[in-house]
Amino acid sequence: MFMSPFLQTALDAALNAQEIISHYYRQGVAVKLKADQTPVTVADIEAERAIKACILGMFPHHGFYGEETGRERADAEYVWLIDPIDGTKSFVRGYPFFSTQIALMRDGELVLGVSNAPEFQELAYAEKGLGAYLNQQPIQVSHKEHLPEITLSLGNLTTLTQGERWQGLGRLIQKVQRTRGYGDFYHYHLLASGRIDLVIESDVNILDIAALTMLVNEAGGVFTDLDGQPIGLETTSVLAAANPVLHDKALRLLGIDED
């Protein structure tokens, strides 16, 4: 695969962060709560600083939006979106459902994504128009279109339980072959590589999913919010499918498209 300077830099940054994260994962860290009651550790902060130094060392005029350090030059043509440890709750509890998420937007459009999960030994990446890769091998979504043969993975359903879509989700679950809750980065790696077929999540933010959006899209899948709208900076939910047929069936059962 041809790698642009952007993708090569993102991969370098992810591997720099991996050294820090793996060190603290083995050693253990103290946990603090941010204002929104989500956890943060020194591993999050140091990893984001390492990513930022790597990226802005190469592209000093680019914008930066980090989970821990906030926004800089948000109106730049290129803006990097960073979650150094997506899955901090897993990280601090000592189980491996966490990853480093690095994405790049150009004029508001996602053009690159890297998702590195060192404890799973999975490094996934994609760049617009160049396909998706997992551990240097090209990947594609599955071709399954019939609900009775698919696997659905669910995550972060707190908000979904409070709305009208909850009954629709029940209808969908009754029709699929299998449901799981792989969570965080992992069900998107599975979806992009054809190992599962549909993902539904609520209570996310763009830093959680930007890189994963690129991965699924470049693997041939469909990635929207639960209204079927494109992913943007204000997105808080996900409906990701292996193909448009499956995506449309899920939308209809969730009650979004009833015409």
Side-chain angles (χ1 to χ4, degrees):
M1 174 189 176
F2 166 78
M3 286 193 186
S4 70
F6 302 127
L7 181 55
Q8 187 60 64
T9 299
L11 290 169
D12 290 344
L15 294 177
N16 288 350
Q18 176 179 323
E19 293 185 18
I20 296 166
I21 293 165
S22 295
H23 167 75
Y24 282 113
Y25 185 63
R26 303 282 182 273
Q27 175 179 297
V29 289
V31 182
K32 296 181 179 179
L33 293 180
K34 294 187 282 190
D36 63 0
Q37 298 303 299
T38 59
V40 63
T41 72
V42 65
D44 297 83
I45 295 168
E46 288 188 10
E48 184 164 311
R49 286 174 178 166
I51 294 168
K52 188 174 184 179
C54 184
I55 290 174
L56 296 187
M58 286 294 295
F59 307 110
H61 302 296
H62 284 194
F64 193 89
Y65 178 13
E67 175 75 17
E68 310 306 336
T69 59
R71 304 190 192 205
E72 297 180 18
R73 294 180 293 278
D75 58 349
E77 178 183 5
Y78 290 95
V79 177
W80 293 87
L81 308 176
I82 312 298
D83 192 342
I85 305 179
D86 178 41
T88 300
K89 292 177 182 178
S90 303
F91 177 82
V92 300
R93 291 291 300 274
Y95 60 96
F97 279 87
F98 59 86
S99 64
T100 295
Q101 300 291 317
I102 301 175
L104 178 62
M105 276 186 163
R106 181 181 184 184
D107 291 329
E109 178 187 10
L110 286 167
V111 295
L112 177 154
V114 170
S115 174
N116 185 37
E119 296 303 315
F120 273 75
Q121 298 184 334
E122 290 200 359
L123 173 59
Y125 49 89
E127 191 164 6
K128 186 174 174 59
L130 297 177
Y133 291 77
L134 178 62
N135 294 341
Q136 301 183 329
Q137 299 300 312
I139 54 175
Q140 288 187 330
V141 294
S142 79
H143 299 293
K144 295 182 184 296
E145 296 180 346
H146 303 295
L147 293 174
E149 62 180 5
I150 73 157
T151 297
L152 162 67
S153 184
L154 303 165
N156 295 334
L157 299 180
T158 302
T159 299
L160 197 59
T161 65
Q162 302 168 15
E164 296 178 357
R165 291 195 185 101
W166 189 238
Q167 291 185 344
L169 180 60
R171 293 193 296 270
L172 177 60
I173 288 172
Q174 291 175 42
K175 293 181 178 292
V176 303
Q177 182 187 77
R178 195 179 193 208
T179 58
R180 287 293 183 267
Y182 292 108
D184 295 307
F185 76 93
Y186 191 51
H187 47 199
Y188 299 108
H189 283 204
L190 294 173
L191 176 62
S193 54
R195 294 176 283 173
I196 66 171
D197 315 290
L198 190 66
V199 174
I200 292 175
E201 279 200 280
S202 61
D203 306 295
V204 299
N205 67 60
I206 187 61
L207 301 181
D208 298 326
I209 59 171
L212 300 163
T213 300
M214 281 301 304
L215 187 68
V216 171
N217 284 341
E218 284 297 312
V222 181
F223 202 117
T224 71
D225 70 8
L226 283 171
D227 293 317
Q229 297 303 306
I231 301 302
L233 291 177
E234 305 306 319
T235 296
T236 59
S237 64
V238 172
L239 175 59
N243 53 71
V245 172
L246 197 54
H247 187 269
D248 183 64
K249 288 179 178 179
L251 273 179
R252 289 177 180 275
L253 282 168
L254 290 168
I256 306 308
D257 183 1
E258 298 179 333
D259 295 333

